[in-house]
């Protein structure tokens, strides 16, 4: 697993809490909602592991829901403790958002400086060409 995948896996916890705050759901439905949020390669097995962990620590509860349309499914619901945990994630991610915003702004300034007339990076720097390709 690369660093990017590890970061996304870490974010799965607050995202699942958010989805469950919006409405309860079963595992497969939550996977589909994750895909709708831009997580096309989410591993359903990992989603279920995270849900079991959240249930183990009291952030969510689950119950079997049997319907006339298919097999019984375990439906997950956010608890009051889970809502408080989600609020803490909101604060933490808000702080991180500020750091990421500054990073992105500085990166744009760096790449702008590497353009015509830029003095920070020589136009022939290998990283300059790479940066230009990324921005196209």
């Amino acid at each position: 697993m690369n660093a990017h995948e590890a970061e996304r896996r870490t974010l799965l916890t607050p995202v699942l809490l958010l989805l469950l705050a919006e409405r309860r759901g079963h595992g497969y439905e939550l996977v589909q909602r994750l895909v709708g949020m831009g997580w096309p390669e989410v591993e359903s097995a990992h989603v279920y592991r995270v849900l079991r962990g959240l249930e183990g620590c009291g952030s969510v509860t689950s119950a079997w829901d049997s319907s006339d349309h298919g097999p019984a499914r375990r439906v997950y619901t956010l608890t009051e403790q889970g809502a408080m945990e989600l609020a803490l994630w909101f604060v933490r991610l808000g702080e991180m958002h500020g750091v990421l915003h500054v990073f992105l702004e500085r990166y744009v300034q760096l790449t702008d400086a590497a353009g015509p007339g830029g003095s920070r990076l020589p136009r022939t720097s290998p990283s300059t060409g790479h940066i230009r390709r990324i921005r196209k």
Side-chain angles (χ1 to χ4, degrees), residues 1 4 26 35 38 46 48 53 72 77-78 90 96 109 114:
M1 173 185 342
H4 178 70
H26 58 80
V35 169
H46 184 64
Y48 285 105
T77 306
L78 189 70
F90 176 80
M96 183 58 69
Q109 291 171 5

Side-chain angles (χ1 to χ4, degrees), residues 36-48:
M37 288 183 70
W39 293 52
E41 298 176 14
V42 66
E43 296 175 19
S44 58
H46 184 64
V47 170
Y48 285 105

Side-chain angles (χ1 to χ4, degrees), residues 5 10 12-13 23 36 38 41 44 52 56 64 66 74 86 91 94 106 113 116 127-128 131 135:
E5 291 168 355
T10 300
L12 191 56
T13 294
R23 69 176 187 273
E41 298 176 14
S44 58
R52 281 193 301 277
W64 286 102
S66 53
R74 186 172 292 276
L86 176 59
V91 172
R106 290 181 67 169
S127 62
T128 305
I131 290 169
R135 292 192 70 201

Side-chain angles (χ1 to χ4, degrees), residues 91-136:
V91 172
R92 288 184 205 126
L93 291 174
E95 292 168 353
M96 183 58 69
H97 178 268
V99 171
L100 290 173
H101 179 75
V102 170
F103 171 85
L104 294 171
E105 288 287 318
R106 290 181 67 169
Y107 183 83
V108 167
Q109 291 171 5
L110 176 69
T111 58
D112 288 346
S119 60
R120 289 193 203 155
L121 290 176
R123 290 192 54 134
T124 58
S125 165
S127 62
T128 305
H130 179 70
I131 290 169
R132 281 197 204 103
R133 285 191 300 277
I134 291 172
R135 292 192 70 201
K136 287 184 181 180

Side-chain angles (χ1 to χ4, degrees), residues 50-66:
V50 171
L51 288 168
R52 281 193 301 277
L54 289 170
E55 187 172 22
C57 70
S59 297
V60 303
T61 60
S62 70
W64 286 102
D65 182 28
S66 53

